[in-house]
Amino acid sequence: MIRRVLERTFGYSGFRGQQEEVIRHTVDGGDCLVLMPTGGGKSLCYQIPGIVREGTGVVVSPLIALMRDQVEALRQLGVRAAGLNSSLSYREVLEAEAAVRAGRLDLLYVAPERLLGERTLNLLAEARLSLFAIDEAHCVSQWGHDFRPEYLQLSALRDHFPDVPRIALTATADELTRREIVDRLGLRGAPVFVSGFDRPNIRYSVVPKNNARAQFRGFLDRHHRGDAGIVYCLSRKKVDATAEWLQGEGVDALPYHAGLGAAERRRNQDRFQRDEGVVMVATIAFGMGIDKSNVRFVAHLDLPKSIEAYYQETGRGGRDGLPASAWMVYGLQEVVTLRSMVEGSDAGEARKRLEVRKLDAMLGYCELTTCRRQTLLAYFGETHPEPCGNCDNCLTPVDSWDATEASQKAMSCVYRTGQRFGAAYLIDVLRGRETDRIQRFGHDRIPTHGVGADLSAYEWRSVFRQLVARGLLWVDMEGFGSIRLTDESWPVLRGEMHVHMRRDVRPPAAARKRKPRAEQPPPDPATWDEGLWEALRAHRLELARAQGVPPYVIFHDATLREMVERRPGTPEELAGITGVGETKLERYGEDFLGVIAKAERGSG
Ligand code: ADP
Ligand code: ZN
């Protein structure tokens, strides 16, 4: 039964990871917690049980704008779905409610704050319910990185509907968060289904900052011209400035942050979802539940606060399984800003310690010289036996070097200049420059003046960044960014501790002019037909526009790509393509077969 739904309704040929186990367990009426990486296929885990079990499945999902698209995507598949949220007209609400009462609905999406309102509770009490699915369940955890107070009320579900199975789903949850979810949602004897967290199609890279904009521009040009992507920045101001700059560079970029009006946010989000090739420049306010499967890159121009956040944000790339990039640029300034934000926050001591620990793990990740995927997965308690071959460190191995002596020089320079200066000044002293300022302070006469002439300014920046990242030096934000020693500095200064660092290699100035290297495995030239690809995409966009839905709701990129490669000529052949289920075959089969046939004639 569940296989039939998978094949006929969704058009997929097999389950991924643990989907089948989860679905069987849920269809049988059990509670469970599902941990799957973004793009792992969580939705199917409750959608199929919602379709198969008698009654309506209630899906709690935090973002209204996305709810709409999810409901639309289900309807396109021929599934009876509706949403209940504040963006609906009164008539639409009445319609949805009537459908629930009449048992005419497989899935009902509800915003968390609405779920426990009296009206909805009454409605659900009258209806026959098949399950509750709580998406983004980590929002219930106060220790998680994305706590939402309205999620706390969900504990009441257990009291109101003790017999309806509950399935909680999330992409990120460490041990503590998991326990909190099970506890708060009252999941009874619930197994935890943990899927592999690996996202093999995502390529991770972190580049030391030199000129962030030029570096990002180079990355776009080389690998992602015209692609849809997300660019994360820490502040609203930087989001606005970056979006404006990109627009000036001819990139179809839009800003998104909590400071924009609701209408503009919604408009930008809609464009991102619906059009091809939009680059969204955003704060972390953007992204939860984003259901765009062909995001080809996620770029961080500022550091995330934790590996969980980083993994979740980068996980928004490549949900269709095609190659995607997670790219980050990072420098001393970012370390300093984040450290001071975390240290200066007015959270309680325990919370602060936790945040510092998370940030340290994140910084450690940035400075890795070994496989990034192995470290990421290890963080989530998983082992990846071999280096992955699809991260920057695997593709271009980095050297590490014994930087003990350089660290001592840097530290003693900090000490001898009175712990009052920032990195740029200290580097000038180390390299023996004789600026007015250095002379004025008499720092051209101290023993550390000129002891670092053997390293370039670029190399010294790398040294300072890595020392601060590891807590071997500290930057005092209240002292205008002056660098100070820490307790950890002394063992290094005394020669009791060795320091190994990654050797950052300055990219050659001509790097941008080099022949572009294709990052995505190119389609097979023997079967690839760019003209057909464009024609299929154009046709999809036309259909999508006509219905006011995002293109991927009609067919995913991966489905179109398979059409180009296999060139189906009959409805049966078309049905064999991933993502073509019965309803879509009926609705769009003839159309797309027509586009393919026309291309055949054109090329034959
Ligand atoms: P998540 O919610 O875990 O981030 P989704 O449920 O949105 O992931 O699924 C990610 C993508 O994978 C979607 O495009 C979905 O259609 C596709 N998908 C999910 N399960 C399968 C499957 N068994 N076979 C093929 N594609 C799948
Ligand atoms: Zn690797």
Side-chain angles (χ1 to χ4, degrees), residues 54-302:
E54 202 175 317
T56 301
V58 178
V59 184
V60 184
S61 165
L63 278 186
I64 296 171
L66 295 160
M67 212 180 266
R68 222 172 9 144
D69 290 334
Q70 278 157 4
V71 167
E72 187 48 52
L74 283 168
R75 287 184 177 160
Q76 291 278 342
L77 295 168
V79 177
R80 302 174 302 173
L84 265 189
N85 61 60
S86 52
S87 78
L88 298 183
S89 70
Y90 191 58
R91 231 195 82 199
E92 288 170 308
V93 171
L94 289 182
E95 245 167 45
E97 288 177 349
V100 174
R101 283 204 184 84
R104 272 191 283 110
L105 217 50
D106 297 314
L107 289 162
L108 177 71
Y109 283 72
V110 188
E113 60 277 11
R114 187 154 183 137
L115 182 66
L116 295 149
E118 212 184 315
R119 184 178 176 116
T120 312
L121 278 182
N122 288 340
L123 171 73
L124 297 183
E126 284 173 51
R128 172 147 198 172
L129 301 181
S130 59
L131 58 91
F132 283 105
I134 296 109
D135 207 4
E136 311 286 358
H138 61 277
C139 293
V140 78
S141 160
Q142 284 173 297
W143 289 107
H145 59 92
D146 207 1
F147 173 59
R148 298 192 164 216
E150 65 273 20
Y151 258 66
L152 273 185
Q153 302 170 10
L154 296 178
S155 342
L157 284 180
R158 166 187 40 187
D159 310 326
H160 289 293
F161 307 97
D163 301 326
V164 181
R166 289 182 295 280
I167 161 173
L169 309 100
T170 173
T172 52
D174 49 28
E175 199 45 48
L176 208 61
T177 314
R178 279 180 212 182
R179 262 183 274 146
E180 215 181 329
I181 295 173
V182 169
D183 226 41
R184 292 209 188 272
L185 297 178
L187 305 179
R188 300 151 301 186
V192 180
F193 292 97
V194 187
S195 296
F197 267 77
D198 192 13
R199 300 288 313 282
N201 59 318
I202 297 184
R203 173 173 298 180
Y204 300 97
S205 44
V206 180
V207 300
K209 179 149 116 186
N210 199 15
N211 172 341
R213 283 189 173 178
Q215 287 169 297
F216 178 56
R217 181 75 241 199
F219 162 77
L220 268 188
D221 287 348
R222 278 196 301 281
H223 307 300
H224 292 291
R225 211 174 291 186
D227 283 346
I230 306 175
V231 179
Y232 281 111
C233 305
L234 200 57
S235 69
R236 297 171 185 186
K237 218 167 94 188
K238 184 155 167 188
V239 164
D240 288 333
T242 306
E244 203 172 301
W245 163 69
L246 281 173
Q247 286 159 4
E249 297 269 301
V251 176
D252 191 0
L254 295 170
Y256 190 102
H257 56 69
L260 299 175
E264 182 172 3
R265 278 210 308 271
R266 174 155 180 175
R267 206 163 50 236
N268 291 356
Q269 177 157 322
D270 276 357
R271 280 237 19 241
F272 180 70
Q273 295 265 122
R274 274 147 221 261
D275 287 0
E276 314 268 3
V278 174
V279 172
M280 189 68 109
V281 185
T283 59
I284 52 171
F286 178 73
M288 195 167 33
I290 282 292
D291 191 24
K292 186 177 171 74
S293 65
N294 61 343
V295 175
R296 293 271 68 89
F297 68 88
V298 175
H300 281 92
L301 298 189
D302 285 309

Side-chain angles (χ1 to χ4, degrees), residues 6 10-17 19 36-47 70 135-136 171 199 290-291 293 315 319-321 552 556 578-579:
L6 179 78
F10 290 89
Y12 296 148
S13 54
F15 287 108
R16 277 192 192 160
Q19 281 176 331
M36 254 186 209
T38 316
K42 282 185 287 301
S43 331
L44 227 51
C45 294
Y46 55 81
Q47 287 169 345
Q70 278 157 4
D135 207 4
E136 311 286 358
R199 300 288 313 282
I290 282 292
D291 191 24
S293 65
R319 289 167 77 155
D320 52 11
Y552 63 82
H556 288 302
T578 307

Side-chain angles (χ1 to χ4, degrees), residues 481-497:
S482 53
I483 295 185
R484 304 186 181 215
L485 299 185
T486 69
D487 291 346
E488 325 291 308
S489 310
W490 295 101
V492 178
L493 274 169
R494 288 195 297 257
E496 295 159 12
M497 195 182 124

